[in-house]
Amino acid sequence: MSRITEKQAYKWLMGQLSPTRSWLLASITLGLINGLLFLAQAALLAKIIHQIVMENAVLESLTNDFILTAVIILFRALCHWGREVTGFKAGLIIKESIRGAILNKLKALGPLAIAEQPAGSWSTMVVEQVEELQDFIARYLPQMALAVLIPLVILIVAFPLNWTAGLIFLGTAPLIPVFMALVGIKAAEANRRNFQALNRLGGFFLDRLQGMETLRLFQRTRHEHQSLKWASEDFRIKTMQVLRLAFLSSTVLEFFASVSIAILAVYLGMSFLGYLNFGSYGAGVSLYTGLFLLLLAPEFYQPLRDLGTHYHAKSKAVGAAELILELLEREESAQHQGADLLALEAPVSIVAEALTVQGSGGGRALLEDVSFSITAGERVAIIGPSGAGKSTLVNTLMGFWNYQGGIRVAGESLSSLSMDNWRKRIAWLGQQPLIIHGSVYENVSFGRDLDESQVKLALARAQAMEIVEQLPEGLNSLLQEQGGNLSVGQAQRIALARAIAEPVKLLILDEPTASLDAYNERLVLDALEAIDPDCTVITVTHRLKQIDSMDRVLMLDNGQLVADGAPQALKQESAVVQAFVAGLAGSLDDE
Amino acid sequence: MMSELLPYLKLYRRHWGALSVGMLLALATVLFSLGLLALSGWFITATALAGLTVATAQAFDFFSPGAGVRGFSIGRTAARYFERLVSHDATFKLLAWLRSWFFEKLLPLSLTQLKRYRKAELLNRLVADVDALDQLYLRLFSPVIAAVLVVALISLGLSFFSPVLGWGTLLLMGFWLLFLPVVFYRLGYRSGRSQGELLGELRQKALDYLQGMAESRIYGSETRMRARTDATEQSLHATQKKMSRLEGLGGSLMVAAAGLSAVIMLYLAAGEYQQGVISGPVMVMSVFAVLAGFEALMPLPGAFQFLGHTQLAASRLTEVLEEEAIEFGQKSIPEAFKGHIVIQDVFFQYPSIAGTETVGPMILDGISLDIPAGQHLALLGKTGCGKSTLIRLLTRQLPGFEGRIELGGVEIDEYSEAALYELLAVIPQQTHVFSASLRENLKMALPEAEDSTLLETVKTVGLDKLAAAEGDQSVLDLWLGQGGIALSGGEQRRLAIARALLKKSEVLIMDEASEGLDPVSEDHLMNQILNAYQDKTVIMITHKKAMLERMDRVIRMDGGQVI
C-alpha cells in the first residue's frame, strides 16, 4: 500500500467532481447573481437617500424605488436559498458516488481483506470520512470562485464611477491572491493545529476512559484525573501559541476591510468639502456615488472572509480523501470466476490436487502442495495448530482465495464454476457468530426469500426456538449485536439457523463451538447431528470429542498436509497427530 | 425545552470570567463594525450637505468624525483578533474542564456499567457528546447575548435622536430576535435528532454489510444486504436535505430581514427627516446602523437549529451519569491482616435486560468457599460457569449480590475503596495498555518506583525485547498504545504480570493470566509470579492442566456452584 500525499488526494478529489459540475456551476452562478443584485440594492438605497437629502424629494414620489428595492432584496434571499440547495446537492452526489465506490471496492477486495482491519475503521470511512467531504464541496468550492468573481465585479463597477475609490479597492486587490495564500496557509495551519490538539486530547480522554477499570484497581484515578487536567492545559498553551500567530493573517484581511472603508469615507468627505479634487473624472462626487461606493466597500472583502471560515472544511476533506484514496488504490487480487453451473442436487465430493495458495503479501505460501480427496456425504475434521492453514483451506473452498493446482468439486474444476452458483451449495458457520442489526427473521433469512415457516423450521432445527420464545416480539424482535440481548451461545444458534435454513450439499464449520459454554455446545452439536447424511460436512476444530465422531481427519501444519485418515487409525499410527492430540488434552476444555 | 441542558449550564458559572470577556469582545467587534459604517454614512452625508456652500464647508469640523472612523476601523480589527483568541482559549479551558468533570463523575460508577461503554464506538459517542456541550458557549450563548445587547444598544442610541426610530429598530430587530430562535429550534429539532440517529444507523448497516460479506456472498444476498445500507443512506440524505434547506432558509431569511428592515428604517427615518425631527446625516446613520446591526443576528438560525442535537447529547450524558454507583465503606485495612477469604451462600443474577421481562439466569447459585490465607487456589470450569462473576464480586466490579464475602475478616463492602484495592492485585483477561510510555504504564502499579526497579521487572517478564526492535532507546521510554507500539496479546499479558509483580499486594487474582504465552515463557512467568506471591493468597482461573500442579488446591465450578 503506497502512502497518499495531500496533493494527490486533493487532485483526486477535484477529479471526482465531474458528475456534479452543473450543480456547482449553478451554486456559483446564484452566488454571483446575489452579488450583482446587492449592487443594485446598494445603488437604489444610495439613490433614495440622495433624492431625499440633496433633492428634497417628497417621500411619495419615491414609492416605486422603495418597492423595487424590496423586490430585489426578496430575489437576493431566493438566490441565497438556491445557492445553499444547489451546493448541497453537489455534495450529495459526490458523497453518494464515493460511498458507493468505497463499498464496491471493499466488496471486490472480499471478506478476507475486510477482516484484516477492525470493521469499525471501515464503517468510520464509509460514514464519517465521506461526510467530511460535504462542506468542502457544497460551501468551500463555490466560495473559492466567488472570492475572485465578486471583487472583480465590484472593481469593474467602481472604476467608471470614481477612479480613486477604484484605486483604494485595487490598491489592496493585488494583495488578494496573497491573502488567499495567507488565509489558506495560515488558516490551514491554525485549523490543523486546532483539530490536532482537540483530537489528541480526545484520544487521551478516550484512552483513560477505556482503562478506567485498570486505573481503579491500581487506585490511580486521582492521578490520571490530574494528568488529564495537565495534558489539557499543556495542549491549550501550545495550541494558543500557534493560533496567536495564525489568527494574525485573517486579522490583516480584517484590517484592510476596515481601513478601506475608513479611507474611502475620509476621501469622500474631503472631496465633498472641497479639500480634495480628483478621482471623479472632473465631474465632482455626488452623495449618490459616495454612499454607493461606501456600501460596496465591506462587500469587496466579504467573500474572502467567508472563504476563511470554510477553510477547515478543505483540510478535513483532504484528510478524508487521503484515506479513501489509499483504499481505492489497493490492488484487487484477481478472483477466479467461471461460468459453469452445477446441478442443484449433485452431491459434493472434493478432490484437491497439489493445491497451493499464496498469501496476499507475497511471502510464504499459506497452503503448499496439498492433496486429498473427500467423498460426498463424508464428515471431515480439519485439525492443526493455529496458523497451519485451516481457515485458508476452507476459505479457498468457498472461493475467497485464488489457488494454484487443482480443486474438483462434484467432478468439476472449482475455477471454472460460477461462484454464485457454487456458493448456493454451501453453508458456513464461523467461530464468531455474526448478528446483524435487525429482527430475528432478518438474521435468519439474511436477504434470502424465506417465509416465516421456513425460518421457524430452521430455528427449531438449530435448537434456537427457545430463544425466540423469550423475546417480546417473537420473530420480529430486534437483535442487538454482540452482548446486547443475546449471549454468544444464543447468537451462535441463531447463526446456525441461518446456515441450515436452506438445504445445502456442503456445510463448512469453522470452530463452531470454540466460544460456547457446555450447554450451548451440546445444543449446537445436537443440531449438527441431524444434518442430512448426503451433505458433506467439513469442520475445523480443536475439540477432541468432535474429532472422534468424524469419518476422516485432515491435519495441517505449516501449510502442509501432515496426516489424512480415520481418527482412530491416526491416533494410533501418526506421531504428529498423537503429539497434537496430547497438546489438546492439556487443555481442560474437553472434560 | 432547556431542562436537559440545565445541569450543564450551571457548569459555565466556573468560567464566567473568561467567557464574559469573550462575549464583551464579540459585542465590541459588532459595535465597532456598526459604528464604522454608521459614522461613515453620517460623515459622507454631512460633508456632502456642508459642501453645498463654501462657508459651511470651511466651518465643518472633519477632524473628530475622521478620527472616529479611523478609531472604529482599528478598534474593529483589534476586537476581532482578541475576540478570537479569548474565545478559543476559553473554549479550550471549558473543554478541559468538562472532560475532567465528566471523568470525575464516572469514577464511582460500577465498572460493569462502564464496560457496556467500553466498546470503542459507544465511548466515542460519549466523547463526542461531551464535545457537543462545549459548543454550547461558542455557538449559542455568546451569539445570543451579543445579539440581544446589540439590538438594545442600537435602539437606545437611535431613540436619543427620535423615539420613532428607537421603537422602530426595537420592533424590527426585536421581532427577528424572537422569531428566529423559536422557528429554527422547532424546525431543526426533529431533523437534527433524526440526523444523528440515522448516522448511527448507517454506521451499523455498513458494519453489518461489511462484516457479513462472507455470509452474504455464500447466501447470494450481497445485493440485498447492500440495498439495506443504500436505503439508510438515502434516508440520511433526505434528512440532511431537510437540514440544508433549513440552513438555506435561515440564510435567506436573514438576507431578507436585514434588507427589508433597512428599507423600512429608511422609510421611517425619511419621514422623521422631512418632519424636521432628525437631520439628513442622522437619517443615513440610522439606516446604516440597522443594516450593519443584522450581522449580530446572523448566527442565530444555525445556533438554534442545532440545539436539538446538543440537547440529545446532554440527555445521553445525564443517562450515563445517573447510573447506579458502587458505594464503598469506610474501613481501612485491619492490623495483622491475613488474606483469608470467606465466601458464604452467595447468589447473584444480572438484572433484567432492557426490552425483555425475563430476569437473567442465576449466575451464582449459593456458592460457598473458604480460602485460608496464603493458599494458592485454581478455579476451573466452563465458560459461563460463574467463575469470572465470582472474581468480579470479589473485586467489587459488580454491584448487588446476596450472601457474604469476607476478606481478612471484614466484609468486602465495608472496606474503603483505597483499602480494598490496596489489598488486591488483579491480572485481568484483557489488559489495557495506556497510550503512554512503558514507564508510565508500569508506574500505575507502583507510583514511587525507581527506574532501576522498573527495568529489573521489565527484564523479569521479558518485555526488554521490545527495545531491541526499536533501536537503542531506553525501553522505559517506549511509547505504547495508541500512537505507539501495539503490544501483542502475549506482550500485554507480560505487562499485566509486571504490574502485579510491582504491586505486591496481599491477594492476587489471575484470570487466565498465561493465555497467549508460549509454554517456555508461561512456565517462567508463572514461577516468577507465584514465587513473588508465595505467602499470599492467590486465586487463579485457568484452562491449563500444567498450571494445576503448582497450586495448593483445585476447585471446579459449574452452574454457579462448587462441584
Side-chain angles (χ1 to χ4, degrees):
Chain A
M1 232 184 297
S2 59
R3 289 285 309 149
I4 302 295
T5 65
E6 215 170 293
K7 249 191 188 151
Q8 282 170 303
Y10 184 71
K11 219 176 130 192
W12 171 79
L13 197 53
M14 298 305 279
Q16 300 300 303
L17 297 178
S18 49
T20 196
R21 188 136 295 170
S22 50
W23 289 104
L24 280 177
L25 271 179
S27 185
I28 294 167
T29 312
L30 285 168
L32 192 60
I33 294 177
N34 189 359
L36 292 174
L37 286 175
F38 179 83
L39 293 182
Q41 178 193 334
L44 273 166
L45 281 179
K47 182 189 156 197
I48 293 173
I49 292 172
H50 181 91
Q51 290 288 326
I52 292 173
V53 175
M54 305 307 282
E55 318 282 340
N56 289 320
V58 242
L59 209 48
E60 285 72 31
S61 67
L62 295 168
T63 314
N64 283 344
D65 286 328
F66 272 107
I67 292 174
L68 188 59
T69 317
V71 170
I72 285 176
I73 288 165
L74 291 179
F75 269 105
R76 278 188 61 213
L78 211 62
C79 285
H80 188 97
W81 189 75
R83 200 192 137 186
E84 178 76 26
V85 170
T86 46
F88 174 78
K89 183 75 188 169
L92 204 65
I93 292 173
I94 298 297
K95 276 197 302 186
E96 236 172 65
S97 90
I98 289 182
R99 204 169 264 149
I102 294 173
L103 288 176
N104 285 341
K105 183 71 184 186
L106 286 169
K107 176 187 158 193
L109 286 171
L112 299 178
I114 293 173
E116 280 169 16
Q117 273 183 45
S121 72
W122 296 129
S123 69
T124 304
M125 182 180 289
V126 172
V127 181
E128 275 82 5
Q129 269 147 12
V130 172
E131 286 299 318
E132 309 256 273
L133 305 178
Q134 175 71 38
D135 275 354
F136 170 69
I137 294 161
R139 300 234 164 87
Y140 181 82
L141 286 179
Q143 192 61 41
M144 208 161 76
L146 291 176
V148 177
L149 290 175
I150 289 185
L152 201 65
V153 170
I154 290 179
L155 277 183
I156 292 172
V157 173
F159 257 104
L161 284 174
N162 184 303
W163 57 261
T164 314
L167 273 185
I168 293 174
F169 290 148
L170 190 65
T172 51
L175 292 175
I176 285 180
V178 181
F179 287 148
M180 297 261 298
L182 263 181
V183 170
I185 297 163
K186 282 295 179 180
E189 174 69 10
N191 274 307
R192 207 170 54 81
R193 289 292 185 123
N194 203 349
F195 279 109
Q196 215 174 37
L198 287 176
N199 277 341
R200 278 215 196 133
L201 263 183
F204 185 88
F205 185 48
L206 187 67
D207 185 51
R208 266 46 177 184
L209 283 183
Q210 283 171 323
M212 185 80 97
E213 192 177 341
T214 312
L215 292 179
R216 192 138 91 173
L217 286 171
F218 287 114
Q219 284 297 291
R220 293 285 283 174
T221 44
R222 298 274 153 244
H223 176 264
E224 283 307 307
H225 190 193
Q226 269 307 318
S227 2
L228 185 67
K229 282 187 193 160
W230 288 329
S232 310
E233 190 59 15
D234 189 43
F235 279 129
R236 181 181 69 81
I237 291 168
K238 280 187 189 146
T239 313
M240 286 314 293
Q241 279 169 354
V242 182
L243 291 186
R244 222 167 278 158
L245 271 177
F247 284 158
L248 271 182
S249 70
S250 53
T251 305
V252 173
L253 186 63
E254 194 81 31
F255 176 75
F256 273 96
S258 302
V259 161
S260 73
I261 296 177
I263 295 176
L264 194 65
V266 171
Y267 158 75
L268 289 168
M270 301 305 257
S271 303
F272 286 137
L273 294 175
Y275 295 104
L276 298 175
N277 205 357
F278 57 83
S280 49
Y281 310 102
V285 196
S286 68
L287 179 61
Y288 163 74
T289 322
L291 287 175
F292 178 59
L293 290 173
L294 186 65
L295 282 170
L296 291 195
E299 225 38 39
F300 188 75
Y301 292 92
Q302 193 57 41
L304 208 54
R305 286 167 69 191
D306 290 345
L307 188 67
T309 63
H310 295 315
Y311 202 85
H312 66 276
K314 184 193 171 187
S315 39
K316 273 161 92 177
V318 172
E322 278 174 47
L323 294 171
I324 295 171
L325 186 58
E326 201 169 296
L327 168 72
L328 293 183
E329 293 210 329
R330 270 176 71 161
E331 257 177 66
E332 296 165 26
S333 56
Q335 298 198 354
H336 56 83
Q337 177 68 269
D340 293 354
L341 304 178
L342 270 185
L344 202 61
E345 311 76 33
V348 172
S349 60
I350 302 169
V351 178
E353 283 153 3
L355 173 65
T356 296
V357 174
Q358 292 292 341
S360 51
R364 199 174 57 84
L366 299 174
L367 284 179
E368 210 172 348
D369 204 17
V370 171
S371 302
F372 58 83
S373 155
I374 296 172
T375 52
E378 219 173 357
R379 302 293 194 256
V380 181
I382 300 180
I383 60 171
S386 49
K390 304 183 299 274
S391 294
T392 307
L393 179 58
V394 292
N395 280 323
T396 310
L397 289 178
M398 291 189 284
F400 294 133
W401 277 117
N402 260 348
Y403 63 89
Q404 288 126 38
I407 300 180
R408 304 186 72 78
V409 291
E412 302 283 338
S413 167
L414 183 63
S415 56
S416 70
L417 289 178
S418 146
M419 277 303 121
D420 286 344
N421 177 268
W422 162 237
R423 288 180 187 136
K424 281 210 177 89
R425 315 279 167 281
I426 317 175
W428 173 68
L429 185 62
Q431 200 177 111
Q432 288 297 327
L434 171 83
I435 295 295
I436 58 170
H437 200 76
S439 65
V440 180
Y441 173 80
E442 283 179 277
N443 264 285
V444 174
S445 69
F446 214 79
R448 292 169 293 187
D449 288 311
L450 300 180
D451 60 34
E452 220 168 87
S453 61
Q454 282 173 297
V455 167
K456 278 192 174 156
L457 187 65
L459 284 165
R461 285 172 58 212
Q463 313 257 21
M465 267 321 273
E466 61 166 66
I467 307 168
V468 181
E469 278 152 14
Q470 277 177 14
L471 292 169
E473 289 167 71
L475 283 186
N476 294 321
S477 316
L478 283 183
L479 294 179
Q480 277 145 31
E481 199 214 352
Q482 289 145 30
N485 51 1
L486 285 181
S487 73
V488 190
Q490 291 173 325
Q492 187 68 316
R493 277 144 68 195
I494 302 261
L496 178 63
R498 178 191 306 146
I500 59 180
E502 283 186 318
V504 291
K505 292 295 165 199
L506 174 62
L507 180 59
I508 294 175
L509 306 164
D510 194 350
E511 301 198 45
T513 61
S515 47
L516 304 191
D517 56 55
Y519 173 70
N520 280 296
E521 177 172 11
R522 192 173 49 74
L523 289 182
V524 168
L525 291 178
D526 285 353
L528 290 175
E529 282 295 306
I531 298 281
D532 178 10
D534 287 352
C535 177
T536 312
V537 181
I538 297 180
T539 311
V540 175
T541 185
H542 272 135
R543 305 267 164 125
L544 276 179
K545 258 192 293 186
Q546 292 174 22
I547 297 171
D548 288 340
S549 61
M550 299 286 174
D551 300 330
R552 277 274 293 288
V553 173
L554 299 178
M555 178 164 168
L556 291 171
D557 193 6
N558 235 341
Q560 290 174 333
L561 187 66
V562 292
D564 178 359
Q568 298 315 323
L570 284 184
K571 273 190 182 172
Q572 284 162 17
E573 291 155 20
S574 164
V576 279
V577 172
Q578 279 165 2
F580 183 71
V581 166
L584 286 187
S587 160
L588 294 154
D589 283 342
D590 258 300
E591 295 177 13
Chain B
M1 73 182 204
M2 299 295 277
S3 62
E4 288 148 314
L5 294 175
L6 210 58
Y8 302 95
L9 294 186
K10 289 185 187 149
L11 299 177
Y12 289 87
R13 275 199 307 227
R14 253 186 82 103
H15 295 274
W16 71 272
L19 296 181
S20 353
V21 172
M23 223 174 284
L24 279 179
L25 283 168
L27 181 66
T29 311
V30 179
L31 287 180
F32 280 137
S33 134
L34 187 152
L36 176 63
L37 204 62
L39 185 62
S40 301
W42 180 89
F43 182 60
I44 291 177
T45 319
T47 49
L49 283 171
L52 291 177
T53 65
V54 179
T56 44
Q58 282 177 345
F60 191 86
D61 164 33
F62 56 82
F63 283 107
S64 347
V69 166
R70 283 193 300 272
F72 279 139
S73 72
I74 303 292
R76 178 172 98 156
T77 312
R80 168 81 75 195
Y81 177 70
F82 286 108
E83 187 261 324
R84 293 186 73 181
L85 273 193
V86 171
S87 63
H88 273 79
D89 195 47
T91 308
F92 274 124
K93 277 187 185 151
L94 197 65
L95 188 81
W97 196 80
L98 263 173
R99 283 180 172 159
S100 118
W101 170 83
F102 189 67
F103 190 80
E104 207 175 0
K105 286 282 182 183
L106 280 180
L107 283 180
L109 294 189
S110 103
L111 289 173
T112 325
Q113 284 159 331
L114 283 182
K115 248 188 198 149
R116 287 203 279 119
Y117 296 97
R118 220 177 42 191
K119 287 192 76 180
E121 212 145 326
L122 280 174
L123 261 190
N124 272 328
R125 202 189 69 189
L126 221 60
V127 173
D129 284 346
V130 175
D131 289 353
L133 282 180
D134 87 298
Q135 293 285 318
L136 211 53
Y137 159 69
L138 269 187
R139 281 190 84 156
L140 191 69
F141 288 152
S142 178
V144 168
I145 292 177
V148 170
L149 289 176
V150 165
V151 172
L153 286 174
I154 301 179
S155 310
L156 194 70
L158 290 181
S159 69
F160 284 118
F161 298 100
S162 139
V164 175
L165 294 187
W167 284 110
T169 313
L170 191 64
L171 284 176
L172 278 174
M173 297 187 79
F175 169 72
W176 293 107
L177 199 56
L178 292 176
F179 175 76
L180 292 172
V182 175
V183 168
F184 280 90
Y185 173 68
R186 297 214 159 238
L187 289 177
Y189 187 74
R190 280 195 53 193
S191 351
R193 286 205 164 189
S194 62
Q195 183 173 342
E197 281 157 18
L198 282 168
L199 272 173
E201 198 180 320
L202 180 60
R203 194 176 304 122
Q204 188 63 51
K205 292 278 163 67
L207 214 55
D208 284 350
Y209 171 70
L210 294 171
Q211 284 181 321
M213 187 66 84
E215 271 94 342
S216 59
R217 287 282 190 82
I218 289 165
Y219 303 132
S221 51
E222 185 269 328
T223 334
R224 297 241 191 133
M225 297 303 283
R226 173 69 177 273
R228 270 165 49 108
T229 316
D230 291 347
T232 309
E233 190 195 10
Q234 286 307 320
S235 35
L236 172 68
H237 284 175
T239 310
Q240 286 179 332
K241 198 167 165 182
K242 257 194 228 160
M243 286 299 268
S244 110
R245 296 220 155 154
L246 276 183
E247 268 175 71
L249 191 64
S252 56
L253 263 182
M254 290 312 296
V255 169
L260 291 179
S261 301
V263 172
I264 295 173
M265 202 59 199
L266 177 57
Y267 192 81
L268 286 177
E272 293 289 278
Y273 167 69
Q274 287 183 341
Q275 284 174 16
V277 183
I278 54 169
S279 67
V282 170
M283 176 186 92
V284 176
M285 184 183 74
S286 58
V287 174
F288 279 31
V290 170
L291 205 56
F294 264 90
E295 202 176 303
L297 268 60
M298 289 292 174
L300 293 187
F304 281 90
Q305 197 179 339
F306 289 99
L307 186 56
H309 170 74
T310 317
Q311 279 176 295
L312 193 65
S315 60
R316 277 197 298 239
L317 289 181
T318 310
E319 206 176 289
V320 175
L321 295 179
E322 277 173 357
E323 290 196 22
E324 192 188 350
I326 286 200
E327 280 175 34
F328 285 88
Q330 301 290 329
K331 286 205 179 162
S332 49
I333 304 168
E335 280 174 47
F337 175 88
K338 289 258 184 289
H340 180 199
I341 299 173
V342 179
I343 296 167
Q344 206 176 0
D345 297 326
V346 169
F347 292 86
F348 179 82
Q349 66 190 135
Y350 284 97
S352 67
I353 298 159
T356 59
E357 289 299 309
T358 47
V359 181
M362 225 17 129
I363 307 284
L364 293 177
D365 203 0
I367 188 170
S368 293
L369 198 58
D370 190 312
I371 309 169
Q375 188 172 65
H376 287 193
L377 174 87
L379 204 52
L380 311 179
K382 285 264 180 194
T383 320
C385 70
K387 53 190 193 306
S388 292
T389 305
L390 186 66
I391 297 302
R392 284 203 207 119
L393 289 181
L394 201 55
T395 51
R396 298 227 58 206
Q397 298 179 34
L398 272 180
F401 63 90
E402 276 174 53
R404 231 179 128 76
I405 302 182
E406 275 179 19
L407 175 59
V410 178
E411 278 207 57
I412 52 160
D413 42 2
E414 287 179 7
Y415 278 115
S416 71
E417 189 178 352
L420 181 68
Y421 291 135
E422 200 185 319
L423 291 172
L424 300 175
V426 180
I427 302 180
Q429 253 181 43
Q430 283 170 346
T431 310
H432 184 78
V433 182
F434 288 95
S435 169
S437 64
L438 176 59
R439 178 184 292 105
E440 286 305 314
N441 264 295
L442 289 171
K443 272 187 157 185
M444 296 273 153
L446 191 65
E448 62 276 12
E450 301 278 331
D451 271 9
S452 54
T453 322
L454 296 178
L455 272 174
E456 202 179 306
T457 316
V458 165
K459 282 206 186 94
T460 312
V461 300
L463 276 178
D464 51 331
K465 294 182 189 95
L466 280 178
E470 296 291 320
D472 51 357
Q473 204 180 356
S474 162
V475 66
L476 291 179
D477 289 327
L478 290 179
W479 196 266
L480 307 182
Q482 191 117 47
I485 309 167
L487 296 189
S488 70
E491 284 161 350
Q492 290 181 16
R493 282 301 141 103
R494 289 169 202 263
L495 176 64
I497 291 169
R499 283 178 185 159
L501 283 173
L502 286 167
K503 187 168 175 185
K504 288 204 188 90
S505 53
E506 293 297 326
V507 176
L508 171 68
I509 295 168
M510 294 189 270
D511 198 347
E512 299 186 26
S514 61
E515 211 73 4
L517 292 173
D518 58 279
V520 180
S521 323
E522 180 179 3
D523 200 52
H524 168 71
L525 285 172
M526 287 301 122
N527 275 340
Q528 290 289 341
I529 190 106
L530 289 176
N531 283 340
Y533 281 85
Q534 197 163 23
D535 314 324
K536 317 285 187 188
T537 312
V538 176
I539 301 176
M540 176 196 252
I541 293 180
T542 183
H543 284 284
K544 305 209 171 163
K545 273 186 182 163
M547 290 296 119
L548 302 186
E549 293 153 17
R550 301 164 195 267
M551 310 303 281
D552 303 330
R553 182 177 164 201
V554 177
I555 293 283
R556 190 180 291 273
M557 280 181 70
D558 194 23
Q561 287 171 321
V562 176
I563 52 170

